[in-house]
Each structure stands twice: as C-alpha cells, then as structure tokens.
Amino acid sequence: MTRKARRRLHPIAIMAGLGKELKNMVVPLLVIMAAGSRHGFSWTDILVPLAALIYTLVMGVLSWLRFTYEWDDTCLVVEEGVFVRKKRSIPLERIHGISVTEGIWQRMAGVVQVHIETAGDALGEAEVTLRAISREEARRLQRCVEQAKHKAENASHPEPLANRPHPVLFTLSMKEVWVASLTSGGALGVVAALCAFLSQFSDFIPYEALVRDIQSTWNGHGRWYIALLILSILLAAYGVAIVQNMIRYASFVVRKQEDTIVIARGWLERKAVSVPVARVQGIVIHENWLRRFFGYASVSIIHAGGALDGGPSGEVVLCPLVKKHRIVPIVQACLPEYRLDVPFCPLPQRAKSRYMLRPLYWLTIPVGVAAYMERPWGAGLLFVLPLALWIGARRYQAAGWALSSKQLSLRNGWFRRTTAHLLKRHVQSLEIATTWWQRKKQLATISASVMPVGTRSRVVDVDEEDAASIYRWLQGEKGDQT
C-alpha cells in the first residue's frame, strides 16, 4: 500500500473545534462582562470578549488549514501547528486504542471523530485526534492498524480481516437502558457540577447573605421548607443523571474483532471504543445495593491507557447493566484467560467486630450532637447507630479474596460491592499493611495495583498468614500456571 497524499479534515472540524473552545470561554467571558458592567454599561466592556471571540475564530480556521494527515501500511503522519509546526510519525503497531465518536457537528456532515491512543500518551489524553474524517476512512485506518499489529506479531490470517464476521457478544435493550439509568445514581455528581459552576460567580452572588437567611429560616422553624428544597434539588439532579445515562448507554453493543474488543454506544453522540485484549489489565464488577437486589451488576475492564469512553482514566465499561449469571460467558468470550466463577475465602471471624465498629468511629459524635440539639425528635437519629453496626456486619460478610496460580481476586464493600480480578502478570505491586490494632488481632490489609498508575484494589483485615501467602504468590515465578 503506497502512502496517500496529505489530506485535511472535513471543514466541519472548524465548527467542532470552535464549539469546544467557546464552551470553555463562556464562563470567563460572562464574568468579565459582569465585572465591567457593575458601575454602568459601556461599549468598552465588550471589547475584551469581542477580541477573544475574533481571535478564537481566526485561530480555529488557521488550525484547520495547517492540520494535515496521511498514512500507509506502516505509520500515520500528522502535521499541525499555526506558529510552531509540529510533525508526528506514529507506527501503526504502536497504536493501542482507537475511539470513534459521532458528535452533533460530525453527524451533520456525515463524518466521525477519531481519537488515537498510544503507549506514550499522558493519562486521559489522545495521542492524535482527527476531528472530522469519513466513516469509511476511519474503518480503513482501523483495518490498517489491525493488519500492522498482526504483521508485527508474525500472525497469519486465512481470510481478510474485513470479511470476518464479528458477532455481537452483548447488547442493551431499551428497557435495560432505562433500568441502568435508574439504578446508576449520579445525582451527587450533577449537584457537584452545579456547585462548581455557581462558584464561578462568587463575586456577584451574595452567598454569605444567603447562608445567613438559611440559618435564620432554620432557627425560625422553617427547617421543613429547607428540607423540602434540598429534596427537590436532589430529585431534579437525579432526573438529569437519568437522562444523561440514557443518552450515554443507548444502542450499547459489544463485539470481539480478532484480538480487539469493540464497544459502541451513544445516542446524540455515537462513540465506538477499540480496546486491544493485550492492553486489558483486569476486570472489575460493580454491584450497588439496588442492582444487587434485582440480580444485576455492571462490568468494567481496566485498560492500560486513558479514559477512552469518557469515564475514569483506565476504566472502560464493558456491560453497564447485566444479569449476574450472564457475566461469566460474556467475559469468557471477550477475555478467556480470566476466571470469574472462583470460590472466595472469607475473612477471619475476629475481623467482624472491627468491621462493625468502624462506622461508629465517625458517626457517634455527630449523631449524638444532632440528637441533643434537636431533642426530643432528634432522638430518632440514634437509630442510625445500630443501622451502622448492621451495615458493618454486611460489609464483613461481603469481603473476601481468591487466589490461583494465574489470578488474584479481591472483593469489598456493601453499598457498592466491588470485585476485582487481576492476572498475576499484570499486578504491578502488592502491598501488605498493618496498623497497631490489626497486629493485635493478627490481621492485615492487602492492596494490589495494576496499570495505569493509581488503579488499586484492596481488602481490609485479611488473616496475616493469608496475606503472607498472597505476597509469596506474587514473588513466585510468573510463568507458573495451572
């Protein structure tokens, strides 16, 4: 295959880039205009925002004109930069992840946006972003990357990659999308984002006066109105979170293409993420209390790279919502090395009291103070303490670990139970920590880390001898497999 002539992105890339820049500029420009108009409006108040807008428009057009790309069967070449020209040549076999997105601007023009990730990327960032290329061109680039990888591995293919069937391994129906959105939570994240947005206007909104008004209303026995207001805000945030998740998980499909897992999802913004099997560092199963009640869970894969699907860096959602009995066959089809149906070893009985008492360390004083200040009705808050003991007992029952010659599995939590399955060769570090109280009961905390840096799973209060055996397991020869 000969190298193609240099090409530019579709002109709609100008609008996509400007939309992103203008979105980041809205709040600062509003603050500048509001600050200038506090002492009376003047036409000079809009000069700075107008100059920033014109500069952004000009730079958007120039950036598009100066951005060119080409590739052959060995490497991808990208040249960009307005004042400083930068040229990058990326070998195709070095590309570890490709994410294809169809935003609103791309859909209008019938093109897609491609994020290309390599081993040297900064966490959460793409090596190259092609903002607007045709769908067929994106598919050709993906096929060239697959072929380059197989050539590098000296793999032979009896049939062309394009002709191989790629069966669907998992999909979500509209009912399951609705259930996943209802049970995923996210209301607190919406409230946090709203608070972060409002904090930008702290110079213009009298927050201190509002706090004093709330305090006077509370002291004037208007606490029920405040509680109703807070409940209304949380319900509204919950509704926004539901809509966000429905848009995100609509048309969710998982396929296996050779040695690559392809995950497609989205409604307004259609996204397809390609995760090479070789880059998968582990599997994480999340079960919040509501989904567990109905027999559901969500499955994510730990990916040695950035945030390909917009979630946490290094984690890609494989199944947003799935019946627990379906998890094993789905994972076996995608990642046959992993064993999820392993028996877990429980924690020793002497750790139960520590799990039950741990919530009381930070609950007893605030609950006692609130019950005293709001007496006599505040005495009802004291029922939180036995509830905390019960939750601690449930967390103790849920925690555990499992070990084979190839894999370490760790499980913890109750409200949000997390089970991590890590292959031995992917474990970057294993930490055994003990506090003074743990040493008295011969207990320890296990923490296992994989790539990317900071991805950690742990179990508290494991028997010291079991922790030592796990440590010896990691120190053993990596090649030992059963």
Side-chain angles (χ1 to χ4, degrees):
M1 179 178 178
T2 59
R3 176 164 290 181
K4 299 181 180 181
R6 294 181 182 179
R7 303 188 63 178
R8 286 193 176 93
L9 303 176
H10 191 281
I12 202 68
I14 302 175
M15 299 304 298
L18 288 177
K20 182 178 179 180
E21 294 297 328
L22 293 176
K23 179 182 176 181
N24 296 331
M25 292 172 58
V26 167
V27 173
L29 291 180
L30 287 177
V31 171
I32 293 173
M33 293 179 66
S37 61
R38 294 180 70 179
H39 304 290
F41 177 78
S42 173
W43 288 107
T44 58
D45 297 333
I46 65 172
L47 288 181
V48 173
L50 184 61
L53 181 61
I54 294 174
Y55 175 80
T56 303
L57 293 173
V58 172
M59 291 301 295
V61 174
L62 291 178
S63 297
W64 173 76
L65 287 172
R66 299 282 285 172
F67 189 101
T68 61
Y69 68 97
E70 59 181 325
W71 80 82
D72 58 15
D73 55 354
T74 60
C75 65
L76 169 68
V77 180
V78 176
E79 294 188 49
E80 60 181 324
V82 177
F83 300 112
V84 178
R85 194 71 172 161
K86 182 167 64 174
K87 182 176 181 179
R88 284 181 287 180
S89 180
I90 304 173
L92 296 186
E93 67 269 14
R94 184 172 171 262
I95 295 175
H96 292 294
I98 296 180
S99 174
V100 180
T101 305
E102 294 180 58
I104 296 176
W105 294 109
Q106 286 82 12
R107 285 193 176 190
M108 289 174 58
V111 296
V112 297
Q113 179 173 274
V114 178
H115 299 271
I116 299 170
E117 182 188 298
T118 65
D121 300 347
L123 195 59
E125 299 181 0
E127 175 85 9
V128 173
T129 298
L130 305 178
R131 290 191 181 276
I133 65 175
S134 67
R135 293 185 180 89
E136 180 56 35
E137 198 165 11
R139 285 193 289 267
R140 286 199 299 267
L141 177 58
Q142 287 178 316
R143 287 197 294 268
C144 288
V145 170
E146 292 179 6
Q147 291 169 350
K149 286 180 175 292
H150 283 283
K151 286 180 180 179
E153 297 169 358
N154 295 322
S156 60
H157 298 287
E159 54 179 324
L161 289 171
N163 298 328
R164 296 190 177 191
H166 301 134
V168 174
L169 301 179
F170 175 77
T171 185
L172 281 180
S173 65
M174 282 307 299
K175 177 183 176 182
E176 290 172 325
V177 171
W178 171 248
V179 174
S181 303
L182 283 176
T183 59
S184 63
L188 294 180
V190 175
V191 173
L194 178 61
C195 292
F197 176 77
L198 294 177
S199 67
Q200 303 293 325
F201 301 94
S202 57
D203 294 334
F204 314 105
I205 299 177
Y207 289 118
E208 294 182 1
L210 289 176
V211 171
R212 288 195 298 268
D213 290 342
I214 291 174
Q215 289 176 343
S216 62
T217 303
W218 181 272
N219 296 329
H221 304 288
R223 61 199 66 180
W224 293 111
Y225 295 103
I226 295 176
L228 182 61
L229 175 63
I230 294 174
L231 179 61
S232 300
I233 293 175
L234 290 176
L235 288 176
Y238 185 50
V240 172
I242 290 174
V243 173
Q244 287 179 337
N245 284 302
M246 290 192 69
I247 293 174
R248 180 180 183 183
Y249 294 128
S251 304
F252 195 98
V253 177
V254 177
R255 289 185 171 89
K256 180 78 174 291
Q257 299 181 2
E258 302 304 318
D259 294 329
T260 303
I261 301 171
V262 180
I263 304 169
R265 62 164 179 83
W267 177 41
L268 293 179
E269 185 181 49
R270 186 67 176 162
K271 178 175 286 190
V273 177
S274 299
V275 182
V277 171
R279 299 282 285 175
V280 176
Q281 304 296 296
I283 299 171
V284 182
I285 300 174
H286 298 290
E287 307 171 63
N288 64 38
W289 67 272
L290 184 57
R291 289 182 174 180
R292 190 165 62 249
F293 180 79
F294 292 102
Y296 285 100
S298 63
V299 182
S300 299
I301 52 181
I302 302 174
H303 169 256
L308 288 180
D309 70 341
S313 294
E315 187 168 316
V316 180
V317 177
L318 183 66
C319 302
L321 184 79
V322 60
K323 281 287 187 180
K324 288 195 286 188
H325 66 83
R326 294 182 56 199
I327 295 177
V328 172
I330 292 172
V331 171
Q332 286 295 303
C334 296
L335 302 161
E337 280 191 277
Y338 288 84
R339 294 292 178 266
L340 274 58
D341 51 349
V342 292
F344 278 80
C345 299
L347 302 183
Q349 184 67 27
R350 59 184 180 276
K352 185 175 183 179
S353 60
R354 287 178 50 80
Y355 269 83
M356 295 178 66
L357 294 175
R358 195 171 287 122
L360 299 184
Y361 298 156
W362 56 273
L363 273 178
T364 302
I365 293 178
V367 167
V369 171
Y372 176 78
M373 294 180 62
E374 299 298 326
R375 60 185 187 278
W377 299 107
L381 292 173
L382 296 176
F383 287 103
V384 172
L385 301 181
L387 177 62
L389 290 172
W390 179 80
I391 292 175
R394 301 292 292 180
R395 292 182 67 247
Y396 162 78
Q397 294 174 358
W401 58 276
L403 189 67
S404 69
S405 60
K406 296 174 65 175
Q407 177 181 295
L408 171 65
S409 301
L410 301 175
R411 186 172 64 197
N412 63 77
W414 184 76
F415 275 112
R416 183 175 173 80
R417 180 185 298 173
T418 301
T419 306
H421 300 275
L422 314 172
L423 290 183
K424 182 177 183 178
R425 68 173 183 271
H426 292 151
V427 177
Q428 299 293 310
S429 66
L430 184 70
E431 179 182 324
I432 309 296
T434 58
T435 65
W436 183 82
W437 293 104
Q438 284 179 320
R439 284 195 294 271
K440 288 188 65 176
K441 293 197 172 187
Q442 297 180 332
L443 301 172
T445 297
I446 304 173
S447 298
S449 299
V450 296
M451 288 291 292
V453 177
T455 306
R456 181 182 295 268
S457 301
R458 71 170 192 159
V459 178
V460 180
D461 293 340
V462 176
D463 186 279
E464 273 188 347
E465 293 185 1
D466 293 335
S469 66
I470 295 174
Y471 186 81
R472 289 192 297 269
W473 164 82
L474 183 64
Q475 297 303 310
E477 187 177 344
K478 294 273 185 176
D480 290 341
Q481 309 290 342
T482 56

